mmCIF file of all heavy atoms in Angstrom:
data_model
loop_
_atom_site.group_PDB
_atom_site.id
_atom_site.type_symbol
_atom_site.label_atom_id
_atom_site.label_comp_id
_atom_site.label_asym_id
_atom_site.label_seq_id
_atom_site.Cartn_x
_atom_site.Cartn_y
_atom_site.Cartn_z
ATOM 1 N N MET T 32 -34.027 41.546 -50.381
ATOM 2 C CA MET T 32 -33.734 40.936 -49.048
ATOM 3 C C MET T 32 -33.371 42.028 -48.029
ATOM 4 O O MET T 32 -33.878 42.059 -46.904
ATOM 5 C CB MET T 32 -32.675 39.883 -49.161
ATOM 6 C CG MET T 32 -32.345 39.199 -47.823
ATOM 7 S SD MET T 32 -31.142 37.829 -47.953
ATOM 8 C CE MET T 32 -29.650 38.677 -48.129
ATOM 9 N N THR T 39 -30.827 41.294 -42.290
ATOM 10 C CA THR T 39 -29.804 40.771 -43.192
ATOM 11 C C THR T 39 -28.875 41.852 -43.621
ATOM 12 O O THR T 39 -27.843 41.610 -44.262
ATOM 13 C CB THR T 39 -30.425 40.135 -44.448
ATOM 14 O OG1 THR T 39 -31.174 41.139 -45.156
ATOM 15 C CG2 THR T 39 -31.363 38.976 -44.101
ATOM 16 N N HIS T 54 -21.766 40.739 -56.258
ATOM 17 C CA HIS T 54 -22.383 39.740 -55.377
ATOM 18 C C HIS T 54 -23.531 39.072 -56.077
ATOM 19 O O HIS T 54 -23.633 37.859 -56.081
ATOM 20 C CB HIS T 54 -23.012 40.452 -54.164
ATOM 21 C CG HIS T 54 -22.019 40.822 -53.103
ATOM 22 N ND1 HIS T 54 -20.851 41.407 -53.362
ATOM 23 C CD2 HIS T 54 -22.138 40.695 -51.760
ATOM 24 C CE1 HIS T 54 -20.219 41.647 -52.217
ATOM 25 N NE2 HIS T 54 -20.964 41.204 -51.233
ATOM 26 N N LYS T 57 -22.645 36.582 -58.856
ATOM 27 C CA LYS T 57 -22.090 35.290 -58.363
ATOM 28 C C LYS T 57 -23.207 34.355 -57.896
ATOM 29 O O LYS T 57 -23.136 33.147 -58.106
ATOM 30 C CB LYS T 57 -21.100 35.507 -57.277
ATOM 31 C CG LYS T 57 -19.824 36.175 -57.807
ATOM 32 C CD LYS T 57 -18.667 35.979 -56.800
ATOM 33 C CE LYS T 57 -17.406 36.529 -57.451
ATOM 34 N NZ LYS T 57 -16.193 36.114 -56.732
ATOM 35 N N ILE T 58 -24.157 34.904 -57.166
ATOM 36 C CA ILE T 58 -25.244 34.076 -56.666
ATOM 37 C C ILE T 58 -25.993 33.416 -57.805
ATOM 38 O O ILE T 58 -26.220 32.200 -57.816
ATOM 39 C CB ILE T 58 -26.244 34.906 -55.838
ATOM 40 C CG1 ILE T 58 -25.578 35.466 -54.603
ATOM 41 C CG2 ILE T 58 -27.462 34.073 -55.479
ATOM 42 C CD1 ILE T 58 -26.540 36.258 -53.723
ATOM 43 N N ALA T 61 -24.055 30.698 -59.538
ATOM 44 C CA ALA T 61 -23.997 29.457 -58.772
ATOM 45 C C ALA T 61 -25.338 28.712 -58.856
ATOM 46 O O ALA T 61 -25.346 27.478 -58.983
ATOM 47 C CB ALA T 61 -23.675 29.788 -57.311
ATOM 48 N N ILE T 62 -26.422 29.428 -58.829
ATOM 49 C CA ILE T 62 -27.756 28.777 -58.914
ATOM 50 C C ILE T 62 -27.915 28.172 -60.282
ATOM 51 O O ILE T 62 -28.425 27.039 -60.413
ATOM 52 C CB ILE T 62 -28.869 29.819 -58.639
ATOM 53 C CG1 ILE T 62 -28.833 30.290 -57.181
ATOM 54 C CG2 ILE T 62 -30.228 29.206 -58.928
ATOM 55 C CD1 ILE T 62 -29.792 31.417 -56.822
ATOM 56 N N LEU T 79 -19.304 26.154 -51.663
ATOM 57 C CA LEU T 79 -20.131 27.179 -51.122
ATOM 58 C C LEU T 79 -20.733 26.810 -49.769
ATOM 59 O O LEU T 79 -20.956 27.655 -48.903
ATOM 60 C CB LEU T 79 -21.274 27.499 -52.099
ATOM 61 C CG LEU T 79 -20.889 28.335 -53.339
ATOM 62 C CD1 LEU T 79 -22.128 28.549 -54.193
ATOM 63 C CD2 LEU T 79 -20.267 29.655 -52.948
ATOM 64 N N LEU T 82 -18.138 27.414 -47.240
ATOM 65 C CA LEU T 82 -17.982 28.857 -47.053
ATOM 66 C C LEU T 82 -19.099 29.441 -46.228
ATOM 67 O O LEU T 82 -18.861 30.165 -45.219
ATOM 68 C CB LEU T 82 -17.951 29.544 -48.444
ATOM 69 C CG LEU T 82 -17.901 31.084 -48.402
ATOM 70 C CD1 LEU T 82 -16.498 31.557 -48.039
ATOM 71 C CD2 LEU T 82 -18.330 31.672 -49.754
ATOM 72 N N HIS T 83 -20.377 29.141 -46.565
ATOM 73 C CA HIS T 83 -21.494 29.731 -45.854
ATOM 74 C C HIS T 83 -21.669 29.222 -44.416
ATOM 75 O O HIS T 83 -21.984 29.988 -43.544
ATOM 76 C CB HIS T 83 -22.790 29.569 -46.624
ATOM 77 C CG HIS T 83 -22.848 30.406 -47.849
ATOM 78 N ND1 HIS T 83 -22.242 30.079 -49.029
ATOM 79 C CD2 HIS T 83 -23.435 31.610 -48.077
ATOM 80 C CE1 HIS T 83 -22.432 31.022 -49.912
ATOM 81 N NE2 HIS T 83 -23.158 31.992 -49.355
ATOM 82 N N LYS T 86 -17.368 29.374 -42.572
ATOM 83 C CA LYS T 86 -16.609 30.583 -42.580
ATOM 84 C C LYS T 86 -17.516 31.804 -42.307
ATOM 85 O O LYS T 86 -17.209 32.608 -41.454
ATOM 86 C CB LYS T 86 -15.911 30.721 -43.955
ATOM 87 C CG LYS T 86 -14.755 31.704 -43.892
ATOM 88 C CD LYS T 86 -13.708 31.439 -44.954
ATOM 89 C CE LYS T 86 -12.946 32.725 -45.227
ATOM 90 N NZ LYS T 86 -13.467 33.483 -46.380
ATOM 91 N N LEU T 87 -18.610 31.884 -43.040
ATOM 92 C CA LEU T 87 -19.468 33.065 -42.856
ATOM 93 C C LEU T 87 -20.482 32.915 -41.748
ATOM 94 O O LEU T 87 -20.930 33.892 -41.188
ATOM 95 C CB LEU T 87 -20.235 33.334 -44.189
ATOM 96 C CG LEU T 87 -19.380 33.572 -45.419
ATOM 97 C CD1 LEU T 87 -20.214 33.567 -46.686
ATOM 98 C CD2 LEU T 87 -18.655 34.914 -45.315
ATOM 99 N N ILE T 89 -23.614 32.031 -41.867
ATOM 100 C CA ILE T 89 -24.867 32.662 -42.249
ATOM 101 C C ILE T 89 -26.019 31.943 -41.542
ATOM 102 O O ILE T 89 -26.071 30.703 -41.503
ATOM 103 C CB ILE T 89 -25.101 32.560 -43.792
ATOM 104 C CG1 ILE T 89 -23.968 33.193 -44.571
ATOM 105 C CG2 ILE T 89 -26.441 33.091 -44.184
ATOM 106 C CD1 ILE T 89 -23.795 34.631 -44.363
ATOM 107 N N ASN T 93 -31.769 32.864 -43.218
ATOM 108 C CA ASN T 93 -31.527 33.853 -44.269
ATOM 109 C C ASN T 93 -31.632 33.257 -45.650
ATOM 110 O O ASN T 93 -31.957 33.952 -46.637
ATOM 111 C CB ASN T 93 -30.142 34.490 -44.107
ATOM 112 C CG ASN T 93 -30.111 35.468 -42.943
ATOM 113 O OD1 ASN T 93 -31.134 35.992 -42.553
ATOM 114 N ND2 ASN T 93 -28.944 35.698 -42.389
ATOM 115 N N PHE T 94 -31.334 31.961 -45.790
ATOM 116 C CA PHE T 94 -31.453 31.323 -47.112
ATOM 117 C C PHE T 94 -32.915 31.347 -47.584
ATOM 118 O O PHE T 94 -33.202 31.540 -48.750
ATOM 119 C CB PHE T 94 -30.927 29.876 -47.071
ATOM 120 C CG PHE T 94 -29.465 29.801 -46.835
ATOM 121 C CD1 PHE T 94 -28.938 29.304 -45.656
ATOM 122 C CD2 PHE T 94 -28.575 30.241 -47.777
ATOM 123 C CE1 PHE T 94 -27.562 29.237 -45.430
ATOM 124 C CE2 PHE T 94 -27.173 30.172 -47.610
ATOM 125 C CZ PHE T 94 -26.684 29.685 -46.398
ATOM 126 N N LEU T 97 -33.723 34.901 -48.695
ATOM 127 C CA LEU T 97 -33.177 35.226 -50.050
ATOM 128 C C LEU T 97 -33.935 34.418 -51.109
ATOM 129 O O LEU T 97 -34.196 34.967 -52.184
ATOM 130 C CB LEU T 97 -31.668 34.912 -50.082
ATOM 131 C CG LEU T 97 -30.966 35.260 -51.410
ATOM 132 C CD1 LEU T 97 -31.150 36.731 -51.717
ATOM 133 C CD2 LEU T 97 -29.496 34.880 -51.369
ATOM 134 N N SER T 98 -34.287 33.187 -50.813
ATOM 135 C CA SER T 98 -35.035 32.378 -51.815
ATOM 136 C C SER T 98 -36.381 33.083 -52.149
ATOM 137 O O SER T 98 -36.752 33.169 -53.304
ATOM 138 C CB SER T 98 -35.351 30.969 -51.272
ATOM 139 O OG SER T 98 -34.163 30.264 -51.100
ATOM 140 N N LEU T 125 -34.997 26.087 -55.245
ATOM 141 C CA LEU T 125 -34.280 26.988 -54.343
ATOM 142 C C LEU T 125 -34.266 26.469 -52.914
ATOM 143 O O LEU T 125 -33.288 26.668 -52.175
ATOM 144 C CB LEU T 125 -34.934 28.411 -54.414
ATOM 145 C CG LEU T 125 -34.693 29.154 -55.707
ATOM 146 C CD1 LEU T 125 -35.438 30.517 -55.648
ATOM 147 C CD2 LEU T 125 -33.245 29.343 -56.040
ATOM 148 N N VAL T 128 -31.404 24.083 -52.904
ATOM 149 C CA VAL T 128 -30.137 24.835 -52.831
ATOM 150 C C VAL T 128 -29.882 25.290 -51.388
ATOM 151 O O VAL T 128 -28.771 25.087 -50.834
ATOM 152 C CB VAL T 128 -30.116 26.062 -53.786
ATOM 153 C CG1 VAL T 128 -28.934 26.965 -53.557
ATOM 154 C CG2 VAL T 128 -30.185 25.624 -55.237
ATOM 155 N N LEU T 132 -26.794 24.355 -48.887
ATOM 156 C CA LEU T 132 -25.921 25.356 -48.292
ATOM 157 C C LEU T 132 -25.915 25.369 -46.790
ATOM 158 O O LEU T 132 -24.946 25.735 -46.117
ATOM 159 C CB LEU T 132 -26.282 26.750 -48.830
ATOM 160 C CG LEU T 132 -25.950 26.999 -50.319
ATOM 161 C CD1 LEU T 132 -26.197 28.432 -50.701
ATOM 162 C CD2 LEU T 132 -24.491 26.670 -50.653
HETATM 163 C C1 HEM I 2 -29.397 30.902 -52.746
HETATM 164 C C2 HEM I 2 -28.544 31.069 -51.834
HETATM 165 C C3 HEM I 2 -27.136 31.517 -51.992
HETATM 166 C C4 HEM I 2 -26.228 31.295 -52.985
HETATM 167 C C5 HEM I 2 -26.405 30.433 -54.245
HETATM 168 C C6 HEM I 2 -24.985 31.969 -52.627
HETATM 169 C C7 HEM I 2 -23.869 31.992 -53.414
HETATM 170 C C8 HEM I 2 -22.696 32.625 -53.068
HETATM 171 C C9 HEM I 2 -21.496 32.667 -53.877
HETATM 172 C C10 HEM I 2 -21.377 32.088 -55.270
HETATM 173 C C11 HEM I 2 -20.587 33.395 -53.187
HETATM 174 C C12 HEM I 2 -19.168 33.757 -53.635
HETATM 175 C C13 HEM I 2 -18.167 32.729 -53.193
HETATM 176 C C14 HEM I 2 -16.796 33.036 -53.689
HETATM 177 O O1 HEM I 2 -16.513 34.124 -54.089
HETATM 178 O O2 HEM I 2 -16.027 32.059 -53.653
HETATM 179 C C15 HEM I 2 -21.156 33.750 -51.920
HETATM 180 C C16 HEM I 2 -20.509 34.493 -50.922
HETATM 181 C C17 HEM I 2 -21.122 35.085 -49.855
HETATM 182 N N1 HEM I 2 -22.445 34.817 -49.437
HETATM 183 FE FE1 HEM I 2 -23.771 33.616 -50.353
HETATM 184 N N2 HEM I 2 -25.206 32.604 -51.452
HETATM 185 C C18 HEM I 2 -26.462 32.386 -51.007
HETATM 186 C C19 HEM I 2 -27.048 32.842 -49.880
HETATM 187 C C20 HEM I 2 -26.484 33.737 -49.009
HETATM 188 C C21 HEM I 2 -27.184 34.412 -47.936
HETATM 189 C C22 HEM I 2 -28.620 34.154 -47.566
HETATM 190 C C23 HEM I 2 -26.276 35.243 -47.298
HETATM 191 C C24 HEM I 2 -26.463 36.152 -46.139
HETATM 192 C C25 HEM I 2 -27.551 36.701 -45.766
HETATM 193 C C26 HEM I 2 -25.032 35.071 -48.019
HETATM 194 C C27 HEM I 2 -23.861 35.750 -47.670
HETATM 195 C C28 HEM I 2 -22.709 35.618 -48.360
HETATM 196 C C29 HEM I 2 -21.526 36.416 -48.055
HETATM 197 C C30 HEM I 2 -21.345 37.429 -46.881
HETATM 198 C C31 HEM I 2 -20.545 36.081 -48.990
HETATM 199 C C32 HEM I 2 -19.163 36.748 -49.168
HETATM 200 C C33 HEM I 2 -18.047 35.890 -48.942
HETATM 201 C C34 HEM I 2 -16.767 36.686 -49.138
HETATM 202 O O3 HEM I 2 -16.344 36.847 -50.256
HETATM 203 O O4 HEM I 2 -16.191 37.113 -48.156
HETATM 204 N N3 HEM I 2 -25.198 34.168 -49.051
HETATM 205 N N4 HEM I 2 -22.435 33.278 -51.890
#
Side-chain angles (χ1 to χ4, degrees):
Chain T
M32 179 175 77
T39 61
H54 281 43
K57 289 199 175 193
I58 295 182
I62 293 174
L79 285 180
L82 176 75
H83 287 81
K86 199 156 157 263
L87 301 169
I89 302 298
N93 286 337
F94 293 112
L97 183 58
S98 296
L125 292 178
V128 170
L132 290 185

